Amino acid sequence: MSSTSAISWKVLLAYALGGLVLDAASNPQTVLPLALAPWTPPLGLSLAILLLYGARYAPWLVIVVFITGLPLYGLPKDPLVVLWASVLLMLGQLVLSTWLKHGQRIDVRLSSQRDLFWFLVAAVLAAWLDAGVHVFSRSPEAAPDVWAWLADLVNYWVGALIRLLIVTPLILVHARPSRTSLAAWWPNRETLLEGLSIVLALGVIFGLKVTDEFKFFYLLFLPLIWICMRHGIQGATLALAFTHVGLNAILQWRGMPSVTVVEFHMLLLSLAVTGLFLGMTVTARRAAEEKLHQRETELNQAMRLAAAGEMTQAIAHELNQPLSALANYARAARSMLAHPGEHERLLGDTLDKIDRESTRAGQVVRRLREFFRGGGLRLESVSAAELVEEGLAPARRRAERSGILIHISPMEYLPRLRADRVQVGTVLHNLLVNAIEALEGRPAGASTEREIHIDVARVDAAHLRFRVRDNGPGIAPDMQERLFDSFVTSKPDGMGLGLAISRTLVEAHGGTLWLESPYPTQLCFTLPVNPEV
Amino acid sequence: MLDPTIYIVDDDEAVRDSLALLLNFRGWRCRAFASAEACLAAWQPDWRGCLLLDLRMGGMDGLGLQHALVTRGSRLPIVFLTGHGDIAHARAALKSGAVDFLEKPYAEEALIDAVREALARDARQSAAEAHTQEIVARMARLSERERQVMELAVAGKPNRDIAAELDISPRTVEVFKARMMEKMQARSLPDLVRLCLEAQTGARD
């Protein structure tokens, strides 16, 4: 109970800092001269925290924002009004976040169109609340008549809604990241180009003297669509934030009149809604594709298992016939020995039959071995990287979901191999799945990252060595000796065949598979280099 | 009637041959068939002993042979031998009256015990059958009147009622009854009732 109701100071600190950054980046004072903003909880950030971490944070958020506002902006003119406004805003968000989470039961990480839609509805309401509280609490002389007052209300609402649509999804979608998902955003050529395209669009819209400010606004849709198609909702939220920051910077620098700002906000709003829904569509489609792919993989594996089971049955039957005949003959022969003289010829006959039957049993075994060695293998020239990809592809998503990092050593300079792509892929896949399951089973709260290292090296002129290493709990001493035996497993629903089959497959290639070290777990196998190259 | 024999049906020549050899040395007569069809063609109602059937064979399998023999009136106990102990087949076999279900490779003890039990069951069945046939044969020797008197007596009717029903004198009923009891070799009325029941149940099985 205590762990779920505890308040994390890290979250509060992030909230305070995030609030300051947002203030600096979006600067609501440019829209309307307001008296409350620095001390009241920032809308988007608060809603995200309430959705992610729960309603118990609400009072703390009010306090934290008020305290951080003090040294920067001094005491507000009317502290009591500010406090009332803060409490009212927080209560409104509390109601909305509770409604989203428990009424509509949305996934707070926004994983479907439906989640996004209900979030949008809540955002519209929250923005009205925010606008109402802020516009109402101004001094009466700020607006001369009811029309001016209404115009202010609508202006403020649009601004608040945009901030909400940009900040909250950004946090929700990227909350609790794993390093693998962040690694996808590490500046590479593509992300740099994507960022550059936004800068370019902004440059065309504002930078050229000849262009009118809004004429080319639609250009901003192009990089946004590109990023959405490539990175889904994650990309969409980041691109929108980047665009928004850029626009605000330009607005400050150019000093736009506030009428222009309102029109501009309307455009930005349509950009945000388009980006979010397009991004979500891409993400949802990818999730569906992944699910389909996973089903296919599972089906494939099930069919392979069924085929293996079928073959085991057939072999068992074929071996059982000579074995039971052998046993019968031997037992009969023992009875003949009771009167050896009487049955001498029959005994000789029976021993001949025993010989024949054992040869027959041997033939079954030989056929089985040939099936695996010759006929079963489809050898081709493949690179180590292709084989690693073959084994890794079906396991990658699972590793990402569990926050496991997979490091692959560079293997550009390795010679090509002669191997059956599917079978070696199966071996690597088995080793990886074992490693992933070991890491998933590791107790939570461990400080070190969960990692799997795959490296390939040349051990001699004719062989490459593949090594799969994980920093999981290791292999128990009593398991080490029987690791490669059939039907030995430490998994509750395991068959205990993965490593046994893997070893058979590697040996069929003329390689070996062994346990290099039980802790950290390291399994290695060798494969022959393609002699033709 | 033949001596008890173990009828072996297995499509694997070595298994068939070795089984017959082993069981011969244990003192039993054996006869082997290479297929279920061959066994079915050779089957006679007077076969005594038991069947050792391989479950999985080319053509008709063990369960099929069991079914075919039962529909032809065979009551030979069956021991199944199988290369893979699959529970569904074992259940089906035992439900249709198999004595035992042995998975290859089996221990010699298990085989011998199963055969022994099957033969014992067959011996019990034959004895019971012989007894029933004996009673039926005695009944067949009764005249029409004697049979009528027996049925009414077994139904619990006193002599006077039997006389009224058959429209004869009580005295005549007594004469028929005495002759009937003698032919049925029944010492008393309860003894007669038991014999009739045994004939009925034996014929029904």
Side-chain angles (χ1 to χ4, degrees), chain A residues 185-334:
Chain A
W185 284 102
W186 199 246
N188 56 28
R189 203 185 306 159
E190 191 182 0
T191 48
L192 284 178
L193 275 178
E194 286 163 354
L196 204 64
S197 67
I198 296 180
V199 173
L200 200 68
L202 287 172
V204 171
I205 297 167
F206 294 100
L208 303 178
K209 280 280 176 227
V210 290
T211 57
D212 174 17
E213 275 77 12
F214 302 126
K215 225 173 176 176
F216 290 104
F217 188 89
Y218 64 85
L219 281 180
L220 276 176
F221 281 89
L222 299 179
L224 182 71
I225 289 170
W226 177 20
I227 295 169
C228 286
M229 296 314 278
R230 295 289 301 149
H231 305 280
I233 185 81
Q234 275 89 0
T237 50
L238 279 172
L240 285 172
F242 187 57
T243 311
H244 190 57
V245 169
L247 281 173
N248 269 310
I250 292 171
L251 285 183
Q252 295 230 330
W253 171 54
R254 298 275 297 258
M256 295 269 170
S258 63
V259 186
T260 334
V261 171
V262 171
E263 280 181 58
F264 216 87
H265 269 165
M266 284 300 190
L267 286 169
L268 198 53
L269 184 63
S270 53
L271 188 72
V273 173
T274 310
L276 286 177
F277 273 96
L278 184 61
M280 183 53 85
T281 309
V282 171
T283 299
R285 214 187 79 185
R286 278 204 195 145
E289 274 170 8
E290 189 200 327
K291 208 170 181 180
L292 200 70
H293 179 75
Q294 200 184 336
R295 287 259 170 79
E296 236 166 62
T297 318
E298 279 168 11
L299 192 71
N300 252 333
Q301 217 144 19
M303 272 162 62
R304 263 189 229 176
L305 258 182
E310 196 69 22
M311 210 172 87
T312 315
Q313 283 273 34
I315 293 163
H317 186 75
E318 274 205 65
L319 264 182
N320 267 332
Q321 301 288 31
L323 284 180
S324 32
L326 270 173
N328 289 336
Y329 283 134
R331 288 156 189 165
R334 198 182 339 98

Side-chain angles (χ1 to χ4, degrees), chain A residues 222-474:
Chain A
L222 299 179
L224 182 71
I225 289 170
W226 177 20
I227 295 169
C228 286
M229 296 314 278
R230 295 289 301 149
H231 305 280
I233 185 81
Q234 275 89 0
T237 50
L238 279 172
L240 285 172
F242 187 57
T243 311
H244 190 57
V245 169
L247 281 173
N248 269 310
I250 292 171
L251 285 183
Q252 295 230 330
W253 171 54
R254 298 275 297 258
M256 295 269 170
S258 63
V259 186
T260 334
V261 171
V262 171
E263 280 181 58
F264 216 87
H265 269 165
M266 284 300 190
L267 286 169
L268 198 53
L269 184 63
S270 53
L271 188 72
V273 173
T274 310
L276 286 177
F277 273 96
L278 184 61
M280 183 53 85
T281 309
V282 171
T283 299
R285 214 187 79 185
R286 278 204 195 145
E289 274 170 8
E290 189 200 327
K291 208 170 181 180
L292 200 70
H293 179 75
Q294 200 184 336
R295 287 259 170 79
E296 236 166 62
T297 318
E298 279 168 11
L299 192 71
N300 252 333
Q301 217 144 19
M303 272 162 62
R304 263 189 229 176
L305 258 182
E310 196 69 22
M311 210 172 87
T312 315
Q313 283 273 34
I315 293 163
H317 186 75
E318 274 205 65
L319 264 182
N320 267 332
Q321 301 288 31
L323 284 180
S324 32
L326 270 173
N328 289 336
Y329 283 134
R331 288 156 189 165
R334 198 182 339 98
S335 310
M336 293 172 200
L337 281 178
H339 310 279
E342 210 173 307
H343 300 300
E344 200 170 330
R345 270 194 55 195
L346 192 58
L347 192 60
D349 277 358
T350 308
L351 289 177
D352 283 345
K353 285 172 178 170
I354 287 180
D355 190 22
R356 209 175 57 212
E357 287 309 296
S358 51
T359 312
R360 184 173 144 208
Q363 273 164 355
V364 174
V365 174
R366 194 164 318 120
R367 267 215 310 282
L368 174 66
R369 207 182 278 148
E370 272 163 13
F371 175 82
F372 271 116
R373 187 167 290 163
L377 279 184
R378 285 176 42 191
L379 295 173
E380 55 184 324
S381 169
V382 284
S383 72
E386 285 170 322
L387 290 177
V388 168
E389 181 53 30
E390 180 82 29
L392 185 56
R396 187 178 278 130
R397 286 287 180 178
R398 180 165 174 192
E400 272 173 25
R401 259 201 308 279
S402 308
I404 295 168
L405 287 176
I406 296 182
H407 303 278
I408 303 169
S409 70
M411 36 191 138
E412 286 88 19
Y413 304 108
L414 295 169
R416 290 178 78 79
L417 296 143
R418 198 169 149 69
D420 183 316
R421 184 191 296 262
V422 175
Q423 294 203 355
V424 175
T426 307
V427 172
L428 268 164
H429 181 70
N430 279 337
L431 299 185
L432 281 169
V433 166
N434 283 346
I436 290 171
E437 286 180 359
L439 289 170
E440 281 171 345
R442 208 174 67 171
S447 52
T448 50
E449 198 75 38
R450 301 164 164 189
E451 288 173 327
I452 296 173
H453 290 262
I454 304 171
D455 57 277
V456 187
R458 193 166 188 163
V459 280
D460 56 50
H463 292 91
L464 292 190
R465 187 213 57 208
F466 290 70
R467 183 169 62 188
V468 176
R469 176 160 60 91
D470 68 67
N471 60 347

